[in-house]
Amino acid sequence: MGLSIEVELLTGTYEAGIGGKRAEWPPHPARLFCALVSVAEGERDFEALRWLERQDPPLVLCPHASESVLRTHVPTNAIEQKRHGATYLGRVSVQRRWARALPAVPRFWVVWPRGHPESQVLASLRSLAARTSYLGRPAGMARMTVQAEAESAPAQPWRRFVPAPSGPYLLRVPYEGYLDALRAAFDSDEQADTVSMAIPYVEEKAQAPSAGIERPVEGPYDRLLCLGFRP
């Protein structure tokens, strides 16, 4: 029993990086929380987010992913009086690079196994998820679904990352007071990273399949429908 949020990456990419140098993978739960905060309206939404930030650090279920770096030119915000451009008057373009992840399957889950929200909180979380259109950079369009049963999130063949006293992965997570810290940072024109908190995670190895049961195989298709033909 518990709560899970399924994230479907509509562009097939996870548009988020760490320090602009490497892709963020596995996804950080705090990034998901920030996405929900960005569409929050009114005290009901804020109360639901405060409930979520008080929960234990969640699990992360995700597929394997490779890394890609997107390089492009973007106009700067600085205005140069001596420059005349047909598209961006007085502005020059500079090269920028963005690290992003390319998951084998474009979806992942964030799971709070002990999260049991009341009906009003659950309704608010579902409304927040339905109104969230992207995760990470705005180019990373996503669709989120809140599920009240953690068992609905699959265990295989996804990689499973769990909080631990020590581990090779540092993931930013929500914490009690995180919502108010984010709102204060926004009012002070500071980045969300200035109020973030990271904790160690480890990858929990999957148990060996039972005898007589075939192990699921990863593939490029979420669903595959086989049609038979009469001889």
Side-chain angles (χ1 to χ4, degrees):
M1 302 291 290
L3 178 80
S4 66
I5 300 180
E6 177 186 358
V7 180
E8 181 182 0
L9 303 170
L10 300 180
T11 60
T13 62
Y14 181 64
E15 298 289 340
I18 300 177
K21 296 181 179 180
R22 59 188 180 91
E24 177 186 294
W25 199 261
H28 292 196
R31 192 177 296 277
L32 173 62
F33 186 88
C34 289
L36 298 176
V37 172
S38 70
V39 298
E41 299 176 352
E43 196 57 34
R44 282 192 176 184
D45 288 345
F46 296 143
E47 285 303 317
L49 290 167
R50 290 190 178 98
W51 176 89
L52 191 62
E53 70 181 19
R54 291 194 299 268
Q55 305 309 302
D56 294 335
L59 316 181
V60 178
L61 308 180
C62 62
H64 289 274
S66 58
E67 186 170 333
S68 172
V69 176
L70 177 65
R71 292 180 175 85
T72 186
H73 283 79
V74 297
T76 64
N77 291 326
I79 302 297
E80 298 184 20
Q81 300 294 336
K82 295 182 179 181
R83 296 193 63 87
H84 300 281
T87 305
Y88 301 103
L89 184 63
R91 296 165 66 186
V92 297
S93 62
V94 295
Q95 189 181 64
R96 291 284 189 267
R97 62 192 302 274
W98 293 278
R100 56 183 182 170
L102 305 177
V105 180
R107 66 182 63 212
F108 65 89
W109 284 259
V110 179
V111 183
W112 290 264
R114 298 182 181 178
H116 304 284
E118 297 180 353
S119 58
Q120 182 174 311
V121 171
L122 180 60
S124 295
L125 291 174
R126 283 176 168 161
S127 177
L128 286 167
R131 303 199 307 266
T132 303
S133 60
Y134 70 91
L135 185 62
R137 289 182 287 271
M141 293 182 290
R143 179 166 53 213
M144 301 183 187
T145 306
V146 175
Q147 301 165 337
E149 301 293 336
E151 287 86 357
S152 60
Q156 292 288 354
W158 313 109
R159 302 172 69 187
R160 181 184 177 94
F161 294 88
V162 300
S166 62
Y169 302 93
L170 281 178
L171 273 60
R172 291 178 293 112
V173 297
Y175 57 88
E176 188 168 0
Y178 190 35
L179 171 63
D180 292 335
L182 287 170
R183 297 177 69 184
F186 179 82
D187 292 338
S188 302
D189 199 25
E190 297 179 356
Q191 295 184 350
D193 289 347
T194 61
V195 296
S196 65
M197 181 183 76
I199 65 172
Y201 272 69
V202 296
E203 183 174 1
E204 193 174 70
K205 300 303 180 182
Q207 296 180 355
S210 303
I213 301 178
E214 293 186 2
R215 190 172 195 166
V217 178
E218 287 192 46
Y221 306 106
D222 288 340
R223 300 177 181 87
L224 183 63
L225 179 63
C226 299
L227 301 177
F229 296 92
R230 292 183 179 178

